[in-house]
Short mmCIF file of all heavy atoms in Angstrom, two decimals:
data_model
loop_
_atom_site.label_atom_id
_atom_site.label_comp_id
_atom_site.label_asym_id
_atom_site.label_seq_id
_atom_site.Cartn_x
_atom_site.Cartn_y
_atom_site.Cartn_z
N MET C 1364 -24.24 -34.99 -7.56
CA MET C 1364 -23.07 -34.38 -6.91
C MET C 1364 -21.94 -35.40 -6.86
O MET C 1364 -22.11 -36.51 -6.36
CB MET C 1364 -23.39 -33.94 -5.49
CG MET C 1364 -24.34 -32.75 -5.42
SD MET C 1364 -23.50 -31.19 -5.57
CE MET C 1364 -23.02 -30.88 -3.87
N SER C 1365 -20.82 -35.01 -7.35
CA SER C 1365 -19.67 -35.88 -7.26
C SER C 1365 -18.65 -35.24 -6.32
O SER C 1365 -18.55 -34.03 -6.24
CB SER C 1365 -19.04 -36.08 -8.63
OG SER C 1365 -18.54 -34.86 -9.12
N THR C 1366 -17.98 -36.08 -5.62
CA THR C 1366 -16.95 -35.56 -4.73
C THR C 1366 -15.61 -35.61 -5.45
O THR C 1366 -15.22 -36.63 -6.00
CB THR C 1366 -16.86 -36.40 -3.44
OG1 THR C 1366 -16.66 -37.75 -3.81
CG2 THR C 1366 -18.12 -36.27 -2.62
N SER C 1367 -14.95 -34.48 -5.48
CA SER C 1367 -13.65 -34.43 -6.13
C SER C 1367 -12.63 -33.96 -5.12
O SER C 1367 -12.87 -33.04 -4.35
CB SER C 1367 -13.67 -33.50 -7.33
OG SER C 1367 -13.98 -32.20 -6.93
N THR C 1368 -11.53 -34.63 -5.12
CA THR C 1368 -10.45 -34.25 -4.22
C THR C 1368 -9.70 -33.07 -4.81
O THR C 1368 -9.29 -33.14 -5.97
CB THR C 1368 -9.48 -35.42 -4.03
OG1 THR C 1368 -10.22 -36.56 -3.64
CG2 THR C 1368 -8.44 -35.09 -2.97
N PRO C 1369 -9.57 -31.99 -4.06
CA PRO C 1369 -8.80 -30.86 -4.58
C PRO C 1369 -7.36 -31.28 -4.88
O PRO C 1369 -6.77 -32.05 -4.13
CB PRO C 1369 -8.83 -29.83 -3.46
CG PRO C 1369 -9.91 -30.27 -2.54
CD PRO C 1369 -10.04 -31.75 -2.71
N THR C 1370 -6.87 -30.78 -5.96
CA THR C 1370 -5.51 -31.10 -6.36
C THR C 1370 -4.62 -29.90 -6.07
O THR C 1370 -4.98 -28.76 -6.37
CB THR C 1370 -5.46 -31.42 -7.86
OG1 THR C 1370 -6.39 -32.46 -8.13
CG2 THR C 1370 -4.06 -31.87 -8.27
N LEU C 1371 -3.47 -30.16 -5.50
CA LEU C 1371 -2.51 -29.10 -5.27
C LEU C 1371 -1.47 -29.12 -6.37
O LEU C 1371 -0.91 -30.17 -6.68
CB LEU C 1371 -1.83 -29.27 -3.91
CG LEU C 1371 -2.73 -29.05 -2.69
CD1 LEU C 1371 -1.95 -29.26 -1.40
CD2 LEU C 1371 -3.32 -27.64 -2.70
N VAL C 1372 -1.23 -27.97 -6.94
CA VAL C 1372 -0.18 -27.84 -7.95
C VAL C 1372 0.80 -26.77 -7.48
O VAL C 1372 0.47 -25.89 -6.69
CB VAL C 1372 -0.74 -27.48 -9.33
CG1 VAL C 1372 -1.65 -28.59 -9.85
CG2 VAL C 1372 -1.48 -26.15 -9.29
N ALA C 1373 2.02 -26.86 -7.98
CA ALA C 1373 3.04 -25.88 -7.62
C ALA C 1373 2.89 -24.64 -8.47
O ALA C 1373 2.54 -24.71 -9.66
CB ALA C 1373 4.43 -26.49 -7.81
N ALA C 1374 3.13 -23.48 -7.87
CA ALA C 1374 3.06 -22.22 -8.59
C ALA C 1374 4.18 -21.32 -8.10
O ALA C 1374 4.53 -21.33 -6.91
CB ALA C 1374 1.71 -21.55 -8.38
N ARG C 1375 4.73 -20.56 -9.00
CA ARG C 1375 5.89 -19.75 -8.70
C ARG C 1375 5.48 -18.29 -8.56
O ARG C 1375 4.86 -17.72 -9.46
CB ARG C 1375 6.91 -19.89 -9.85
CG ARG C 1375 8.24 -19.20 -9.60
CD ARG C 1375 9.05 -20.02 -8.63
NE ARG C 1375 10.46 -19.58 -8.63
CZ ARG C 1375 11.35 -19.94 -7.70
NH1 ARG C 1375 10.98 -20.73 -6.72
NH2 ARG C 1375 12.59 -19.53 -7.76
N SER C 1376 5.81 -17.71 -7.40
CA SER C 1376 5.57 -16.28 -7.24
C SER C 1376 6.73 -15.50 -7.83
O SER C 1376 7.81 -16.06 -8.06
CB SER C 1376 5.40 -15.93 -5.77
OG SER C 1376 6.62 -16.16 -5.09
N ARG C 1377 6.50 -14.23 -8.09
CA ARG C 1377 7.57 -13.40 -8.63
C ARG C 1377 8.32 -12.76 -7.48
O ARG C 1377 7.74 -12.44 -6.44
CB ARG C 1377 6.98 -12.31 -9.52
CG ARG C 1377 6.26 -12.85 -10.74
CD ARG C 1377 5.62 -11.74 -11.54
NE ARG C 1377 6.62 -10.84 -12.11
CZ ARG C 1377 6.32 -9.80 -12.88
NH1 ARG C 1377 5.08 -9.51 -13.15
NH2 ARG C 1377 7.28 -9.03 -13.37
N ALA C 1378 9.62 -12.58 -7.69
CA ALA C 1378 10.40 -11.83 -6.71
C ALA C 1378 9.86 -10.41 -6.67
O ALA C 1378 9.63 -9.79 -7.71
CB ALA C 1378 11.87 -11.84 -7.10
N HIS C 1379 9.61 -9.91 -5.48
CA HIS C 1379 9.02 -8.57 -5.35
C HIS C 1379 9.81 -7.82 -4.29
O HIS C 1379 9.66 -8.09 -3.11
CB HIS C 1379 7.55 -8.69 -4.96
CG HIS C 1379 6.85 -7.37 -4.92
ND1 HIS C 1379 6.53 -6.67 -6.06
CD2 HIS C 1379 6.42 -6.61 -3.89
CE1 HIS C 1379 5.94 -5.53 -5.71
NE2 HIS C 1379 5.85 -5.48 -4.40
N GLY C 1380 10.65 -6.89 -4.74
CA GLY C 1380 11.49 -6.16 -3.80
C GLY C 1380 12.38 -7.13 -3.05
O GLY C 1380 13.03 -7.98 -3.67
N PRO C 1381 12.37 -7.07 -1.73
CA PRO C 1381 13.23 -7.97 -0.95
C PRO C 1381 12.68 -9.38 -0.85
O PRO C 1381 13.37 -10.29 -0.41
CB PRO C 1381 13.27 -7.31 0.44
CG PRO C 1381 11.99 -6.53 0.50
CD PRO C 1381 11.66 -6.11 -0.90
N ALA C 1382 11.42 -9.57 -1.25
CA ALA C 1382 10.81 -10.90 -1.16
C ALA C 1382 11.28 -11.76 -2.32
O ALA C 1382 11.14 -11.39 -3.48
CB ALA C 1382 9.29 -10.79 -1.16
N ALA C 1383 11.83 -12.89 -2.00
CA ALA C 1383 12.33 -13.80 -3.04
C ALA C 1383 11.17 -14.53 -3.68
O ALA C 1383 10.09 -14.68 -3.10
CB ALA C 1383 13.30 -14.79 -2.42
N ALA C 1384 11.41 -15.00 -4.89
CA ALA C 1384 10.42 -15.84 -5.55
C ALA C 1384 10.38 -17.18 -4.83
O ALA C 1384 11.41 -17.75 -4.48
CB ALA C 1384 10.78 -16.02 -7.01
N LEU C 1385 9.18 -17.67 -4.59
CA LEU C 1385 9.02 -18.94 -3.88
C LEU C 1385 8.03 -19.82 -4.62
O LEU C 1385 7.22 -19.34 -5.42
CB LEU C 1385 8.47 -18.68 -2.46
CG LEU C 1385 9.38 -17.96 -1.47
CD1 LEU C 1385 8.60 -17.62 -0.20
CD2 LEU C 1385 10.58 -18.82 -1.13
N TRP C 1386 8.11 -21.09 -4.31
CA TRP C 1386 7.10 -22.03 -4.80
C TRP C 1386 5.94 -22.05 -3.82
O TRP C 1386 6.12 -22.18 -2.61
CB TRP C 1386 7.69 -23.43 -4.93
CG TRP C 1386 8.61 -23.57 -6.09
CD1 TRP C 1386 9.98 -23.63 -6.03
CD2 TRP C 1386 8.27 -23.64 -7.47
NE1 TRP C 1386 10.48 -23.73 -7.31
CE2 TRP C 1386 9.47 -23.74 -8.21
CE3 TRP C 1386 7.06 -23.62 -8.16
CZ2 TRP C 1386 9.49 -23.83 -9.60
CZ3 TRP C 1386 7.08 -23.71 -9.53
CH2 TRP C 1386 8.28 -23.82 -10.24
N HIS C 1387 4.74 -21.91 -4.34
CA HIS C 1387 3.53 -21.95 -3.53
C HIS C 1387 2.65 -23.10 -3.99
O HIS C 1387 2.85 -23.65 -5.07
CB HIS C 1387 2.75 -20.63 -3.67
CG HIS C 1387 3.51 -19.43 -3.18
ND1 HIS C 1387 3.41 -18.95 -1.90
CD2 HIS C 1387 4.39 -18.62 -3.82
CE1 HIS C 1387 4.20 -17.88 -1.77
NE2 HIS C 1387 4.81 -17.66 -2.93
N ALA C 1388 1.68 -23.41 -3.17
CA ALA C 1388 0.70 -24.43 -3.54
C ALA C 1388 -0.60 -23.75 -3.94
O ALA C 1388 -1.10 -22.87 -3.23
CB ALA C 1388 0.46 -25.38 -2.38
N VAL C 1389 -1.14 -24.14 -5.07
CA VAL C 1389 -2.43 -23.64 -5.53
C VAL C 1389 -3.40 -24.81 -5.61
O VAL C 1389 -3.06 -25.87 -6.15
CB VAL C 1389 -2.29 -22.96 -6.91
CG1 VAL C 1389 -3.66 -22.64 -7.51
CG2 VAL C 1389 -1.46 -21.68 -6.79
N GLU C 1390 -4.58 -24.61 -5.04
CA GLU C 1390 -5.60 -25.65 -5.08
C GLU C 1390 -6.40 -25.48 -6.37
O GLU C 1390 -6.99 -24.42 -6.60
CB GLU C 1390 -6.51 -25.51 -3.86
CG GLU C 1390 -7.41 -26.70 -3.62
CD GLU C 1390 -8.23 -26.51 -2.36
OE1 GLU C 1390 -7.65 -26.59 -1.26
OE2 GLU C 1390 -9.43 -26.25 -2.46
N VAL C 1391 -6.42 -26.50 -7.19
CA VAL C 1391 -7.14 -26.39 -8.46
C VAL C 1391 -8.27 -27.40 -8.49
O VAL C 1391 -8.18 -28.50 -7.94
CB VAL C 1391 -6.19 -26.60 -9.66
CG1 VAL C 1391 -5.16 -25.49 -9.73
CG2 VAL C 1391 -5.52 -27.95 -9.60
N HIS C 1392 -9.33 -27.01 -9.12
CA HIS C 1392 -10.50 -27.88 -9.27
C HIS C 1392 -10.75 -28.19 -10.74
O HIS C 1392 -11.81 -28.67 -11.10
CB HIS C 1392 -11.73 -27.20 -8.64
CG HIS C 1392 -11.52 -26.83 -7.20
ND1 HIS C 1392 -11.75 -27.71 -6.17
CD2 HIS C 1392 -11.06 -25.70 -6.63
CE1 HIS C 1392 -11.46 -27.12 -5.03
NE2 HIS C 1392 -11.03 -25.90 -5.26
N ARG C 1393 -9.79 -27.84 -11.56
CA ARG C 1393 -9.88 -28.10 -12.99
C ARG C 1393 -8.68 -28.94 -13.38
O ARG C 1393 -7.71 -29.03 -12.63
CB ARG C 1393 -9.84 -26.78 -13.76
CG ARG C 1393 -11.08 -25.93 -13.58
CD ARG C 1393 -10.95 -24.62 -14.31
NE ARG C 1393 -10.07 -23.69 -13.60
CZ ARG C 1393 -9.48 -22.64 -14.16
NH1 ARG C 1393 -9.67 -22.39 -15.43
NH2 ARG C 1393 -8.72 -21.85 -13.44
N PRO C 1394 -8.70 -29.55 -14.55
CA PRO C 1394 -7.51 -30.28 -15.01
C PRO C 1394 -6.30 -29.36 -15.01
O PRO C 1394 -6.40 -28.19 -15.37
CB PRO C 1394 -7.89 -30.71 -16.43
CG PRO C 1394 -9.38 -30.72 -16.44
CD PRO C 1394 -9.82 -29.65 -15.48
N ALA C 1395 -5.18 -29.91 -14.58
CA ALA C 1395 -3.97 -29.10 -14.44
C ALA C 1395 -3.60 -28.41 -15.74
O ALA C 1395 -3.10 -27.28 -15.73
CB ALA C 1395 -2.82 -29.97 -13.96
N ALA C 1396 -3.89 -29.05 -16.86
CA ALA C 1396 -3.52 -28.45 -18.15
C ALA C 1396 -4.26 -27.14 -18.37
O ALA C 1396 -3.76 -26.25 -19.06
CB ALA C 1396 -3.83 -29.43 -19.28
N GLU C 1397 -5.44 -27.00 -17.77
CA GLU C 1397 -6.23 -25.79 -17.98
C GLU C 1397 -5.71 -24.62 -17.16
O GLU C 1397 -6.04 -23.47 -17.45
CB GLU C 1397 -7.70 -26.05 -17.62
CG GLU C 1397 -8.41 -26.92 -18.62
CD GLU C 1397 -9.90 -27.04 -18.31
OE1 GLU C 1397 -10.45 -26.16 -17.62
OE2 GLU C 1397 -10.51 -28.04 -18.73
N VAL C 1398 -4.98 -24.89 -16.11
CA VAL C 1398 -4.51 -23.79 -15.26
C VAL C 1398 -3.01 -23.56 -15.44
O VAL C 1398 -2.44 -22.70 -14.78
CB VAL C 1398 -4.81 -24.06 -13.77
CG1 VAL C 1398 -6.31 -24.03 -13.52
CG2 VAL C 1398 -4.20 -25.37 -13.31
N ASP C 1399 -2.39 -24.31 -16.34
CA ASP C 1399 -0.95 -24.14 -16.54
C ASP C 1399 -0.65 -22.71 -16.97
O ASP C 1399 -1.30 -22.18 -17.86
CB ASP C 1399 -0.46 -25.13 -17.60
CG ASP C 1399 1.05 -25.17 -17.68
OD1 ASP C 1399 1.71 -24.77 -16.70
OD2 ASP C 1399 1.58 -25.61 -18.72
N ALA C 1400 0.31 -22.11 -16.30
CA ALA C 1400 0.78 -20.74 -16.59
C ALA C 1400 -0.24 -19.68 -16.20
O ALA C 1400 -0.05 -18.51 -16.49
CB ALA C 1400 1.20 -20.59 -18.04
N ALA C 1401 -1.30 -20.07 -15.52
CA ALA C 1401 -2.27 -19.09 -15.06
C ALA C 1401 -1.84 -18.52 -13.71
O ALA C 1401 -1.20 -19.20 -12.92
CB ALA C 1401 -3.64 -19.73 -14.94
N CYS C 1402 -2.21 -17.27 -13.47
CA CYS C 1402 -1.93 -16.66 -12.18
C CYS C 1402 -3.08 -17.01 -11.24
O CYS C 1402 -4.23 -16.66 -11.51
CB CYS C 1402 -1.77 -15.15 -12.32
SG CYS C 1402 -0.06 -14.63 -12.17
N GLU C 1403 -2.76 -17.69 -10.17
CA GLU C 1403 -3.79 -18.13 -9.24
C GLU C 1403 -3.41 -17.72 -7.83
O GLU C 1403 -2.26 -17.42 -7.53
CB GLU C 1403 -3.93 -19.66 -9.31
CG GLU C 1403 -4.34 -20.20 -10.66
CD GLU C 1403 -5.83 -20.02 -10.94
OE1 GLU C 1403 -6.58 -19.76 -9.99
OE2 GLU C 1403 -6.23 -20.16 -12.11
N LEU C 1404 -4.41 -17.73 -6.96
CA LEU C 1404 -4.17 -17.41 -5.56
C LEU C 1404 -3.69 -18.66 -4.84
O LEU C 1404 -4.36 -19.69 -4.85
CB LEU C 1404 -5.48 -16.90 -4.93
CG LEU C 1404 -5.37 -15.98 -3.73
CD1 LEU C 1404 -4.51 -14.75 -4.05
CD2 LEU C 1404 -6.75 -15.56 -3.27
N ALA C 1405 -2.52 -18.56 -4.23
CA ALA C 1405 -1.96 -19.69 -3.52
C ALA C 1405 -2.66 -19.86 -2.17
O ALA C 1405 -3.41 -18.99 -1.73
CB ALA C 1405 -0.46 -19.48 -3.31
N LEU C 1406 -2.39 -20.98 -1.51
CA LEU C 1406 -3.01 -21.27 -0.21
C LEU C 1406 -2.72 -20.18 0.81
O LEU C 1406 -3.53 -19.87 1.67
CB LEU C 1406 -2.50 -22.62 0.32
CG LEU C 1406 -2.83 -23.86 -0.51
CD1 LEU C 1406 -2.31 -25.09 0.20
CD2 LEU C 1406 -4.33 -23.97 -0.76
N CYS C 1407 -1.54 -19.56 0.71
CA CYS C 1407 -1.13 -18.53 1.67
C CYS C 1407 -1.65 -17.16 1.29
O CYS C 1407 -1.46 -16.20 2.03
CB CYS C 1407 0.39 -18.50 1.78
SG CYS C 1407 1.18 -17.92 0.27
N GLY C 1408 -2.31 -17.04 0.12
CA GLY C 1408 -2.85 -15.76 -0.27
C GLY C 1408 -2.00 -15.01 -1.28
O GLY C 1408 -2.39 -13.95 -1.75
N ALA C 1409 -0.83 -15.55 -1.62
CA ALA C 1409 0.03 -14.91 -2.59
C ALA C 1409 -0.43 -15.25 -4.00
O ALA C 1409 -1.05 -16.29 -4.23
CB ALA C 1409 1.47 -15.36 -2.39
N LEU C 1410 -0.14 -14.35 -4.92
CA LEU C 1410 -0.42 -14.64 -6.33
C LEU C 1410 0.79 -15.35 -6.91
O LEU C 1410 1.92 -14.91 -6.73
CB LEU C 1410 -0.68 -13.35 -7.10
CG LEU C 1410 -2.13 -12.88 -7.19
CD1 LEU C 1410 -2.20 -11.56 -7.93
CD2 LEU C 1410 -3.00 -13.92 -7.86
N ALA C 1411 0.54 -16.44 -7.59
CA ALA C 1411 1.64 -17.20 -8.16
C ALA C 1411 1.20 -17.80 -9.49
O ALA C 1411 0.02 -18.04 -9.72
CB ALA C 1411 2.08 -18.30 -7.19
N ARG C 1412 2.19 -18.03 -10.34
CA ARG C 1412 1.90 -18.57 -11.66
C ARG C 1412 2.09 -20.09 -11.64
O ARG C 1412 3.14 -20.59 -11.28
CB ARG C 1412 2.85 -17.93 -12.69
CG ARG C 1412 2.49 -18.28 -14.13
CD ARG C 1412 3.32 -17.47 -15.10
NE ARG C 1412 3.06 -16.03 -15.02
CZ ARG C 1412 2.06 -15.42 -15.67
NH1 ARG C 1412 1.26 -16.10 -16.45
NH2 ARG C 1412 1.87 -14.13 -15.53
N VAL C 1413 1.04 -20.77 -12.04
CA VAL C 1413 1.04 -22.24 -12.00
C VAL C 1413 2.07 -22.80 -12.98
O VAL C 1413 2.19 -22.33 -14.11
CB VAL C 1413 -0.36 -22.78 -12.33
CG1 VAL C 1413 -0.34 -24.30 -12.45
CG2 VAL C 1413 -1.36 -22.33 -11.28
N ASP C 1414 2.82 -23.78 -12.50
CA ASP C 1414 3.78 -24.48 -13.35
C ASP C 1414 3.54 -25.98 -13.16
O ASP C 1414 3.99 -26.57 -12.17
CB ASP C 1414 5.21 -24.10 -12.96
CG ASP C 1414 6.24 -24.74 -13.88
OD1 ASP C 1414 5.87 -25.60 -14.69
OD2 ASP C 1414 7.42 -24.38 -13.75
N VAL C 1415 2.81 -26.57 -14.08
CA VAL C 1415 2.43 -27.97 -13.90
C VAL C 1415 3.60 -28.92 -14.12
O VAL C 1415 3.49 -30.11 -13.84
CB VAL C 1415 1.26 -28.37 -14.83
CG1 VAL C 1415 0.01 -27.58 -14.49
CG2 VAL C 1415 1.63 -28.20 -16.28
N ASP C 1416 4.71 -28.39 -14.61
CA ASP C 1416 5.89 -29.24 -14.77
C ASP C 1416 6.57 -29.50 -13.43
O ASP C 1416 7.39 -30.40 -13.30
CB ASP C 1416 6.90 -28.58 -15.71
CG ASP C 1416 6.38 -28.55 -17.14
OD1 ASP C 1416 5.58 -29.44 -17.49
OD2 ASP C 1416 6.76 -27.64 -17.88
N GLN C 1417 6.21 -28.68 -12.44
CA GLN C 1417 6.82 -28.81 -11.12
C GLN C 1417 5.88 -29.59 -10.22
O GLN C 1417 4.71 -29.22 -10.08
CB GLN C 1417 7.07 -27.41 -10.54
CG GLN C 1417 7.79 -27.41 -9.21
CD GLN C 1417 9.28 -27.67 -9.34
OE1 GLN C 1417 9.83 -27.57 -10.42
NE2 GLN C 1417 9.94 -27.99 -8.26
N PRO C 1418 6.34 -30.68 -9.64
CA PRO C 1418 5.45 -31.43 -8.74
C PRO C 1418 5.26 -30.69 -7.42
O PRO C 1418 6.10 -29.86 -7.03
CB PRO C 1418 6.19 -32.75 -8.52
CG PRO C 1418 7.63 -32.40 -8.71
CD PRO C 1418 7.67 -31.29 -9.74
N TRP C 1419 4.16 -30.95 -6.75
CA TRP C 1419 3.97 -30.41 -5.39
C TRP C 1419 3.91 -31.56 -4.41
O TRP C 1419 3.13 -32.48 -4.62
CB TRP C 1419 2.70 -29.55 -5.29
CG TRP C 1419 2.57 -29.01 -3.90
CD1 TRP C 1419 1.87 -29.55 -2.87
CD2 TRP C 1419 3.22 -27.85 -3.38
NE1 TRP C 1419 2.05 -28.81 -1.75
CE2 TRP C 1419 2.87 -27.77 -2.02
CE3 TRP C 1419 4.08 -26.89 -3.93
CZ2 TRP C 1419 3.34 -26.74 -1.20
CZ3 TRP C 1419 4.53 -25.88 -3.10
CH2 TRP C 1419 4.16 -25.81 -1.76
N PRO C 1420 4.71 -31.54 -3.33
CA PRO C 1420 5.66 -30.48 -3.00
C PRO C 1420 6.91 -30.54 -3.87
O PRO C 1420 7.34 -31.64 -4.22
CB PRO C 1420 6.00 -30.77 -1.54
CG PRO C 1420 5.73 -32.23 -1.36
CD PRO C 1420 4.62 -32.57 -2.30
N PRO C 1421 7.48 -29.39 -4.19
CA PRO C 1421 8.65 -29.38 -5.05
C PRO C 1421 9.90 -29.87 -4.33
O PRO C 1421 9.98 -29.79 -3.10
CB PRO C 1421 8.80 -27.90 -5.44
CG PRO C 1421 7.82 -27.13 -4.64
CD PRO C 1421 7.08 -28.07 -3.74
N ALA C 1422 10.83 -30.34 -5.11
CA ALA C 1422 12.10 -30.76 -4.54
C ALA C 1422 12.98 -29.56 -4.23
O ALA C 1422 13.97 -29.67 -3.52
CB ALA C 1422 12.82 -31.70 -5.50
N ALA C 1423 12.61 -28.41 -4.78
CA ALA C 1423 13.42 -27.20 -4.59
C ALA C 1423 13.38 -26.74 -3.14
O ALA C 1423 12.42 -27.00 -2.42
CB ALA C 1423 12.88 -26.09 -5.50
N PRO C 1424 14.44 -26.09 -2.68
CA PRO C 1424 14.49 -25.64 -1.29
C PRO C 1424 13.69 -24.36 -1.04
O PRO C 1424 13.34 -24.07 0.10
CB PRO C 1424 15.98 -25.39 -1.04
CG PRO C 1424 16.53 -25.07 -2.41
CD PRO C 1424 15.70 -25.86 -3.39
N ASP C 1425 13.42 -23.59 -2.09
CA ASP C 1425 12.75 -22.30 -1.88
C ASP C 1425 11.24 -22.45 -1.98
O ASP C 1425 10.60 -22.03 -2.93
CB ASP C 1425 13.27 -21.26 -2.88
CG ASP C 1425 13.22 -21.76 -4.33
OD1 ASP C 1425 13.11 -22.98 -4.51
OD2 ASP C 1425 13.28 -20.92 -5.24
N VAL C 1426 10.68 -23.10 -0.95
CA VAL C 1426 9.25 -23.36 -0.91
C VAL C 1426 8.63 -22.47 0.15
O VAL C 1426 9.18 -22.29 1.24
CB VAL C 1426 8.97 -24.84 -0.58
CG1 VAL C 1426 7.48 -25.10 -0.48
CG2 VAL C 1426 9.59 -25.73 -1.65
N CYS C 1427 7.48 -21.89 -0.17
CA CYS C 1427 6.76 -21.03 0.78
C CYS C 1427 6.42 -21.85 2.03
O CYS C 1427 5.76 -22.88 1.94
CB CYS C 1427 5.49 -20.52 0.13
SG CYS C 1427 4.35 -19.75 1.27
N PRO C 1428 6.90 -21.42 3.21
CA PRO C 1428 6.65 -22.20 4.43
C PRO C 1428 5.17 -22.29 4.78
O PRO C 1428 4.72 -23.30 5.33
CB PRO C 1428 7.44 -21.45 5.52
CG PRO C 1428 7.71 -20.09 4.95
CD PRO C 1428 7.72 -20.22 3.46
N ALA C 1429 4.40 -21.26 4.46
CA ALA C 1429 2.97 -21.29 4.77
C ALA C 1429 2.26 -22.33 3.91
O ALA C 1429 1.40 -23.07 4.38
CB ALA C 1429 2.36 -19.91 4.56
N CYS C 1430 2.63 -22.38 2.63
CA CYS C 1430 1.99 -23.35 1.73
C CYS C 1430 2.46 -24.76 2.03
O CYS C 1430 1.71 -25.72 1.88
CB CYS C 1430 2.30 -22.99 0.28
SG CYS C 1430 1.32 -21.61 -0.34
N ALA C 1431 3.72 -24.91 2.44
CA ALA C 1431 4.28 -26.23 2.68
C ALA C 1431 3.59 -26.93 3.84
O ALA C 1431 3.54 -28.17 3.88
CB ALA C 1431 5.79 -26.11 2.95
N THR C 1432 3.04 -26.16 4.79
CA THR C 1432 2.41 -26.76 5.95
C THR C 1432 0.89 -26.73 5.83
O THR C 1432 0.20 -27.19 6.73
CB THR C 1432 2.83 -26.02 7.24
OG1 THR C 1432 2.53 -24.63 7.09
CG2 THR C 1432 4.32 -26.19 7.49
N ALA C 1433 0.38 -26.17 4.74
CA ALA C 1433 -1.07 -26.05 4.59
C ALA C 1433 -1.68 -27.41 4.26
O ALA C 1433 -0.99 -28.26 3.70
CB ALA C 1433 -1.40 -25.06 3.49
ZN1 ZN U 2610 2.59 -19.66 -0.26
#
């Protein structure tokens, strides 16, 4: 058994009706390259598309408040 630290990557949700697109945090247990552009469940429960080009936490202002404090 090896202990691995979960890695948080940034993921972008889609704008849905009045809800704006936000950056979420997704916990990945695989190399980031394997989950790039995949739709994953964010920490807050939203579905978001992983963007490994974006660091977490992102410098952008539109960050999901639930994920930012998780
Ligand atoms: Zn979120």
